Short mmCIF file of all heavy atoms in Angstrom, two decimals:
data_model
loop_
_atom_site.label_atom_id
_atom_site.label_comp_id
_atom_site.label_asym_id
_atom_site.label_seq_id
_atom_site.Cartn_x
_atom_site.Cartn_y
_atom_site.Cartn_z
N ILE A 1188 -7.61 -5.74 -8.09
CA ILE A 1188 -7.78 -6.13 -6.69
C ILE A 1188 -7.62 -4.92 -5.76
O ILE A 1188 -8.24 -4.83 -4.72
CB ILE A 1188 -6.78 -7.24 -6.33
CG1 ILE A 1188 -7.14 -8.52 -7.09
CG2 ILE A 1188 -6.73 -7.49 -4.84
CD1 ILE A 1188 -6.09 -9.61 -6.99
N ILE A 1189 -6.77 -3.98 -6.15
CA ILE A 1189 -6.53 -2.80 -5.32
C ILE A 1189 -7.65 -1.80 -5.58
O ILE A 1189 -7.72 -1.21 -6.64
CB ILE A 1189 -5.14 -2.17 -5.64
CG1 ILE A 1189 -4.02 -3.20 -5.50
CG2 ILE A 1189 -4.89 -0.95 -4.78
CD1 ILE A 1189 -3.87 -3.77 -4.10
N VAL A 1190 -8.52 -1.64 -4.60
CA VAL A 1190 -9.69 -0.76 -4.76
C VAL A 1190 -9.56 0.44 -3.83
O VAL A 1190 -8.69 0.49 -2.95
CB VAL A 1190 -10.99 -1.53 -4.47
CG1 VAL A 1190 -11.20 -2.64 -5.48
CG2 VAL A 1190 -10.99 -2.08 -3.07
N ALA A 1191 -10.45 1.40 -3.99
CA ALA A 1191 -10.40 2.63 -3.18
C ALA A 1191 -10.49 2.31 -1.69
O ALA A 1191 -11.26 1.45 -1.29
CB ALA A 1191 -11.54 3.55 -3.59
N PRO A 1192 -9.70 3.00 -0.88
CA PRO A 1192 -9.72 2.75 0.55
C PRO A 1192 -11.00 3.26 1.20
O PRO A 1192 -11.64 4.17 0.69
CB PRO A 1192 -8.51 3.52 1.08
CG PRO A 1192 -8.31 4.61 0.09
CD PRO A 1192 -8.75 4.05 -1.24
N ALA A 1193 -11.35 2.64 2.30
CA ALA A 1193 -12.50 3.08 3.09
C ALA A 1193 -12.03 3.33 4.51
O ALA A 1193 -11.17 2.63 5.01
CB ALA A 1193 -13.60 2.02 3.07
N GLY A 1194 -12.58 4.32 5.14
CA GLY A 1194 -12.23 4.59 6.52
C GLY A 1194 -10.93 5.35 6.66
O GLY A 1194 -10.42 5.92 5.71
N ARG A 1195 -10.41 5.32 7.89
CA ARG A 1195 -9.15 6.01 8.17
C ARG A 1195 -8.28 5.05 8.97
O ARG A 1195 -8.76 4.15 9.63
CB ARG A 1195 -9.40 7.28 8.97
CG ARG A 1195 -10.15 8.33 8.19
CD ARG A 1195 -10.15 9.64 8.92
NE ARG A 1195 -10.65 9.52 10.28
CZ ARG A 1195 -11.67 10.18 10.77
NH1 ARG A 1195 -12.34 11.00 10.01
NH2 ARG A 1195 -12.04 10.02 12.02
N GLY A 1196 -6.99 5.29 8.92
CA GLY A 1196 -6.08 4.44 9.68
C GLY A 1196 -4.76 4.32 8.96
O GLY A 1196 -4.54 4.96 7.94
N GLY A 1197 -3.90 3.48 9.48
CA GLY A 1197 -2.54 3.37 8.97
C GLY A 1197 -2.44 2.92 7.54
O GLY A 1197 -1.65 3.44 6.78
N HIS A 1198 -3.25 1.95 7.14
CA HIS A 1198 -3.06 1.42 5.79
C HIS A 1198 -3.66 2.30 4.71
O HIS A 1198 -3.33 2.14 3.54
CB HIS A 1198 -3.61 -0.01 5.69
CG HIS A 1198 -5.09 -0.09 5.55
ND1 HIS A 1198 -5.93 -0.25 6.61
CD2 HIS A 1198 -5.88 -0.04 4.45
CE1 HIS A 1198 -7.17 -0.30 6.17
NE2 HIS A 1198 -7.17 -0.16 4.88
N GLN A 1199 -4.54 3.24 5.05
CA GLN A 1199 -5.16 4.05 4.02
C GLN A 1199 -4.15 4.89 3.24
O GLN A 1199 -4.31 5.11 2.04
CB GLN A 1199 -6.27 4.94 4.59
CG GLN A 1199 -7.58 4.22 4.76
CD GLN A 1199 -7.60 3.32 5.98
OE1 GLN A 1199 -6.78 3.45 6.87
NE2 GLN A 1199 -8.54 2.40 6.02
N ALA A 1200 -3.10 5.36 3.90
CA ALA A 1200 -2.08 6.16 3.19
C ALA A 1200 -1.38 5.29 2.14
O ALA A 1200 -1.18 5.72 1.00
CB ALA A 1200 -1.08 6.74 4.17
N LEU A 1201 -1.03 4.06 2.51
CA LEU A 1201 -0.42 3.13 1.56
C LEU A 1201 -1.40 2.83 0.44
O LEU A 1201 -1.04 2.88 -0.74
CB LEU A 1201 0.01 1.84 2.26
CG LEU A 1201 0.44 0.69 1.35
CD1 LEU A 1201 1.66 1.08 0.53
CD2 LEU A 1201 0.70 -0.56 2.17
N HIS A 1202 -2.62 2.54 0.79
CA HIS A 1202 -3.63 2.19 -0.21
C HIS A 1202 -3.86 3.33 -1.19
O HIS A 1202 -3.92 3.13 -2.41
CB HIS A 1202 -4.92 1.81 0.51
CG HIS A 1202 -5.80 0.92 -0.29
ND1 HIS A 1202 -6.91 0.34 0.23
CD2 HIS A 1202 -5.76 0.51 -1.58
CE1 HIS A 1202 -7.51 -0.38 -0.69
NE2 HIS A 1202 -6.82 -0.29 -1.79
N LYS A 1203 -3.96 4.56 -0.68
CA LYS A 1203 -4.15 5.73 -1.56
C LYS A 1203 -2.98 5.90 -2.52
O LYS A 1203 -3.16 6.17 -3.69
CB LYS A 1203 -4.36 6.99 -0.74
CG LYS A 1203 -4.59 8.21 -1.63
CD LYS A 1203 -4.87 9.44 -0.85
CE LYS A 1203 -5.09 10.67 -1.68
NZ LYS A 1203 -4.69 10.70 -3.05
N ARG A 1204 -1.76 5.71 -2.01
CA ARG A 1204 -0.59 5.83 -2.87
C ARG A 1204 -0.60 4.78 -3.98
O ARG A 1204 -0.31 5.07 -5.14
CB ARG A 1204 0.71 5.70 -2.07
CG ARG A 1204 1.95 6.05 -2.89
CD ARG A 1204 3.20 5.96 -2.06
NE ARG A 1204 3.65 4.62 -1.86
CZ ARG A 1204 4.29 3.88 -2.79
NH1 ARG A 1204 4.50 4.37 -3.98
NH2 ARG A 1204 4.68 2.67 -2.51
N LEU A 1205 -0.98 3.55 -3.63
CA LEU A 1205 -1.06 2.49 -4.64
C LEU A 1205 -2.10 2.84 -5.70
O LEU A 1205 -1.85 2.70 -6.90
CB LEU A 1205 -1.41 1.16 -3.98
CG LEU A 1205 -0.37 0.58 -3.02
CD1 LEU A 1205 -0.91 -0.67 -2.35
CD2 LEU A 1205 0.94 0.31 -3.73
N ILE A 1206 -3.26 3.31 -5.26
CA ILE A 1206 -4.31 3.67 -6.20
C ILE A 1206 -3.86 4.81 -7.11
O ILE A 1206 -4.07 4.79 -8.32
CB ILE A 1206 -5.60 4.04 -5.45
CG1 ILE A 1206 -6.20 2.78 -4.81
CG2 ILE A 1206 -6.61 4.71 -6.37
CD1 ILE A 1206 -7.30 3.07 -3.84
N ASP A 1207 -3.19 5.81 -6.53
CA ASP A 1207 -2.70 6.95 -7.34
C ASP A 1207 -1.68 6.48 -8.37
O ASP A 1207 -1.74 6.89 -9.53
CB ASP A 1207 -2.09 8.02 -6.44
CG ASP A 1207 -3.11 8.76 -5.59
OD1 ASP A 1207 -4.33 8.61 -5.84
OD2 ASP A 1207 -2.69 9.47 -4.66
N ASP A 1208 -0.76 5.61 -7.97
CA ASP A 1208 0.25 5.10 -8.91
C ASP A 1208 -0.40 4.26 -10.00
O ASP A 1208 -0.05 4.37 -11.18
CB ASP A 1208 1.30 4.25 -8.19
CG ASP A 1208 2.29 5.06 -7.38
OD1 ASP A 1208 2.21 6.31 -7.42
OD2 ASP A 1208 3.14 4.47 -6.71
N LEU A 1209 -1.37 3.43 -9.62
CA LEU A 1209 -2.01 2.54 -10.59
C LEU A 1209 -2.99 3.27 -11.49
O LEU A 1209 -3.40 2.73 -12.52
CB LEU A 1209 -2.70 1.39 -9.86
CG LEU A 1209 -1.74 0.42 -9.17
CD1 LEU A 1209 -2.50 -0.55 -8.28
CD2 LEU A 1209 -0.88 -0.32 -10.18
N ALA A 1210 -3.35 4.50 -11.17
CA ALA A 1210 -4.24 5.29 -12.02
C ALA A 1210 -3.57 5.64 -13.35
O ALA A 1210 -4.26 5.91 -14.33
CB ALA A 1210 -4.69 6.56 -11.30
N VAL A 1211 -2.24 5.61 -13.38
CA VAL A 1211 -1.53 6.00 -14.60
C VAL A 1211 -0.84 4.82 -15.27
O VAL A 1211 -0.12 5.00 -16.25
CB VAL A 1211 -0.49 7.12 -14.31
CG1 VAL A 1211 -1.19 8.39 -13.88
CG2 VAL A 1211 0.52 6.68 -13.29
N GLY A 1212 -1.03 3.63 -14.79
CA GLY A 1212 -0.41 2.45 -15.39
C GLY A 1212 -0.49 1.26 -14.46
O GLY A 1212 -1.22 1.28 -13.47
N ASN A 1213 0.29 0.24 -14.77
CA ASN A 1213 0.26 -0.98 -13.96
C ASN A 1213 1.49 -1.15 -13.09
O ASN A 1213 1.70 -2.22 -12.53
CB ASN A 1213 0.13 -2.22 -14.87
CG ASN A 1213 -1.27 -2.40 -15.40
OD1 ASN A 1213 -2.08 -1.48 -15.39
ND2 ASN A 1213 -1.57 -3.59 -15.85
N CYS A 1214 2.32 -0.11 -12.97
CA CYS A 1214 3.56 -0.21 -12.20
C CYS A 1214 3.50 0.64 -10.94
O CYS A 1214 2.93 1.73 -10.95
CB CYS A 1214 4.75 0.22 -13.03
SG CYS A 1214 5.14 -0.93 -14.35
N VAL A 1215 4.11 0.12 -9.90
CA VAL A 1215 4.25 0.85 -8.64
C VAL A 1215 5.72 0.75 -8.25
O VAL A 1215 6.31 -0.33 -8.28
CB VAL A 1215 3.38 0.24 -7.52
CG1 VAL A 1215 3.52 1.02 -6.25
CG2 VAL A 1215 1.92 0.16 -7.94
N SER A 1216 6.33 1.88 -7.90
CA SER A 1216 7.72 1.90 -7.45
C SER A 1216 7.76 2.07 -5.95
O SER A 1216 6.98 2.83 -5.37
CB SER A 1216 8.49 3.05 -8.11
OG SER A 1216 8.62 2.80 -9.50
N PHE A 1217 8.69 1.35 -5.32
CA PHE A 1217 8.84 1.38 -3.87
C PHE A 1217 10.29 1.64 -3.52
O PHE A 1217 11.19 1.02 -4.09
CB PHE A 1217 8.47 0.01 -3.27
CG PHE A 1217 7.05 -0.40 -3.48
CD1 PHE A 1217 6.69 -1.14 -4.59
CD2 PHE A 1217 6.08 -0.06 -2.56
CE1 PHE A 1217 5.38 -1.54 -4.79
CE2 PHE A 1217 4.76 -0.46 -2.74
CZ PHE A 1217 4.41 -1.20 -3.86
N ASN A 1218 10.53 2.53 -2.55
CA ASN A 1218 11.88 2.64 -2.01
C ASN A 1218 12.01 1.56 -0.93
O ASN A 1218 11.05 0.82 -0.66
CB ASN A 1218 12.17 4.06 -1.47
CG ASN A 1218 11.26 4.46 -0.32
OD1 ASN A 1218 10.79 3.64 0.47
ND2 ASN A 1218 11.01 5.76 -0.19
N ASP A 1219 13.18 1.45 -0.31
CA ASP A 1219 13.40 0.38 0.67
C ASP A 1219 12.39 0.42 1.81
O ASP A 1219 11.85 -0.62 2.22
CB ASP A 1219 14.82 0.47 1.25
CG ASP A 1219 15.88 0.07 0.25
OD1 ASP A 1219 15.54 -0.49 -0.82
OD2 ASP A 1219 17.07 0.32 0.53
N GLN A 1220 12.12 1.59 2.33
CA GLN A 1220 11.17 1.73 3.44
C GLN A 1220 9.77 1.29 3.00
O GLN A 1220 9.06 0.60 3.74
CB GLN A 1220 11.14 3.16 3.94
CG GLN A 1220 10.17 3.40 5.08
CD GLN A 1220 10.17 4.85 5.54
OE1 GLN A 1220 11.01 5.65 5.14
NE2 GLN A 1220 9.22 5.20 6.37
N GLN A 1221 9.36 1.67 1.81
CA GLN A 1221 8.04 1.32 1.31
C GLN A 1221 7.90 -0.17 1.03
O GLN A 1221 6.84 -0.75 1.26
CB GLN A 1221 7.72 2.14 0.05
CG GLN A 1221 7.57 3.61 0.34
CD GLN A 1221 7.62 4.46 -0.92
OE1 GLN A 1221 8.23 4.09 -1.93
NE2 GLN A 1221 6.96 5.61 -0.87
N VAL A 1222 8.97 -0.82 0.55
CA VAL A 1222 8.94 -2.27 0.36
C VAL A 1222 8.73 -2.96 1.70
O VAL A 1222 7.92 -3.88 1.82
CB VAL A 1222 10.24 -2.79 -0.31
CG1 VAL A 1222 10.29 -4.31 -0.27
CG2 VAL A 1222 10.35 -2.30 -1.73
N GLY A 1223 9.43 -2.48 2.73
CA GLY A 1223 9.25 -3.03 4.06
C GLY A 1223 7.83 -2.87 4.55
O GLY A 1223 7.24 -3.79 5.13
N GLU A 1224 7.24 -1.70 4.31
CA GLU A 1224 5.86 -1.45 4.72
C GLU A 1224 4.92 -2.40 3.98
O GLU A 1224 4.02 -3.00 4.60
CB GLU A 1224 5.50 0.01 4.42
CG GLU A 1224 4.09 0.37 4.80
CD GLU A 1224 3.74 1.82 4.44
OE1 GLU A 1224 4.32 2.38 3.48
OE2 GLU A 1224 2.87 2.37 5.12
N LEU A 1225 5.10 -2.56 2.69
CA LEU A 1225 4.26 -3.45 1.90
C LEU A 1225 4.33 -4.88 2.44
O LEU A 1225 3.30 -5.52 2.68
CB LEU A 1225 4.69 -3.41 0.43
CG LEU A 1225 3.96 -4.40 -0.49
CD1 LEU A 1225 2.50 -4.03 -0.64
CD2 LEU A 1225 4.65 -4.45 -1.85
N ILE A 1226 5.54 -5.35 2.67
CA ILE A 1226 5.70 -6.73 3.16
C ILE A 1226 5.12 -6.89 4.56
O ILE A 1226 4.49 -7.91 4.86
CB ILE A 1226 7.18 -7.14 3.08
CG1 ILE A 1226 7.58 -7.25 1.60
CG2 ILE A 1226 7.43 -8.45 3.83
CD1 ILE A 1226 9.05 -7.46 1.36
N ARG A 1227 5.29 -5.89 5.41
CA ARG A 1227 4.68 -5.97 6.75
C ARG A 1227 3.16 -6.06 6.66
O ARG A 1227 2.54 -6.88 7.33
CB ARG A 1227 5.08 -4.77 7.60
CG ARG A 1227 6.44 -4.91 8.25
CD ARG A 1227 6.70 -3.83 9.28
NE ARG A 1227 6.62 -2.47 8.74
CZ ARG A 1227 7.58 -1.88 8.04
NH1 ARG A 1227 8.70 -2.52 7.77
NH2 ARG A 1227 7.43 -0.64 7.62
N TYR A 1228 2.55 -5.23 5.82
CA TYR A 1228 1.09 -5.30 5.68
C TYR A 1228 0.66 -6.64 5.10
O TYR A 1228 -0.39 -7.16 5.46
CB TYR A 1228 0.56 -4.15 4.83
CG TYR A 1228 0.29 -2.91 5.63
CD1 TYR A 1228 1.10 -1.80 5.54
CD2 TYR A 1228 -0.79 -2.85 6.51
CE1 TYR A 1228 0.86 -0.66 6.29
CE2 TYR A 1228 -1.05 -1.72 7.27
CZ TYR A 1228 -0.22 -0.63 7.14
OH TYR A 1228 -0.46 0.49 7.89
N MET A 1229 1.44 -7.19 4.20
CA MET A 1229 1.09 -8.47 3.60
C MET A 1229 1.24 -9.63 4.58
O MET A 1229 0.53 -10.62 4.47
CB MET A 1229 1.98 -8.73 2.38
CG MET A 1229 1.69 -7.84 1.20
SD MET A 1229 2.87 -8.06 -0.14
CE MET A 1229 2.52 -9.75 -0.65
N SER A 1230 2.16 -9.52 5.53
CA SER A 1230 2.50 -10.70 6.33
C SER A 1230 2.27 -10.60 7.83
O SER A 1230 2.16 -11.62 8.50
CB SER A 1230 3.96 -11.06 6.09
OG SER A 1230 4.81 -10.01 6.53
N ARG A 1231 2.18 -9.42 8.39
CA ARG A 1231 2.16 -9.29 9.84
C ARG A 1231 0.88 -8.75 10.45
O ARG A 1231 0.73 -8.78 11.65
CB ARG A 1231 3.31 -8.40 10.30
CG ARG A 1231 4.65 -9.02 10.11
CD ARG A 1231 5.64 -8.25 10.88
NE ARG A 1231 6.79 -9.07 11.14
CZ ARG A 1231 7.83 -8.68 11.81
NH1 ARG A 1231 7.84 -7.46 12.31
NH2 ARG A 1231 8.84 -9.47 12.01
N TYR A 1232 0.00 -8.22 9.66
CA TYR A 1232 -1.15 -7.54 10.23
C TYR A 1232 -2.44 -8.33 10.06
O TYR A 1232 -3.50 -7.77 9.82
CB TYR A 1232 -1.28 -6.13 9.64
CG TYR A 1232 -0.10 -5.24 9.98
CD1 TYR A 1232 0.56 -4.54 9.01
CD2 TYR A 1232 0.34 -5.13 11.29
CE1 TYR A 1232 1.65 -3.73 9.33
CE2 TYR A 1232 1.43 -4.34 11.62
CZ TYR A 1232 2.07 -3.64 10.62
OH TYR A 1232 3.14 -2.84 10.95
N GLY A 1233 -2.36 -9.63 10.18
CA GLY A 1233 -3.56 -10.46 10.15
C GLY A 1233 -4.09 -10.71 8.76
O GLY A 1233 -3.41 -10.52 7.76
N SER A 1234 -5.32 -11.13 8.74
CA SER A 1234 -5.92 -11.54 7.47
C SER A 1234 -7.09 -10.66 7.07
O SER A 1234 -8.06 -11.13 6.51
CB SER A 1234 -6.38 -13.00 7.58
OG SER A 1234 -7.33 -13.12 8.63
N GLY A 1235 -6.99 -9.39 7.37
CA GLY A 1235 -8.06 -8.46 7.00
C GLY A 1235 -8.18 -8.32 5.50
O GLY A 1235 -7.37 -8.81 4.73
#
């Protein structure tokens, strides 16, 4: 489901990091700040 990002903007940095992590396996590690960012993108930024 996580595909290469298109365009520029706030979420592209998160998306690129996810793609880079998933290029070497199926696990992604998040620190506290990154978990917050993930949850915010999942729940607060509309239905894009």
Side-chain angles (χ1 to χ4, degrees):
I1188 293 170
I1189 305 298
V1190 296
R1195 293 191 306 238
H1198 79 266
Q1199 278 78 17
L1201 170 62
H1202 204 172
K1203 181 177 179 344
R1204 189 178 78 76
L1205 294 174
I1206 290 169
D1207 290 349
D1208 285 357
L1209 293 170
V1211 295
N1213 283 18
C1214 290
V1215 181
S1216 293
F1217 297 91
N1218 63 29
D1219 289 348
Q1220 180 181 350
Q1221 292 165 333
V1222 170
E1224 180 183 28
L1225 175 67
I1226 292 172
R1227 278 190 301 282
Y1228 273 107
M1229 290 174 66
S1230 63
R1231 291 194 158 181
Y1232 297 129
S1234 59

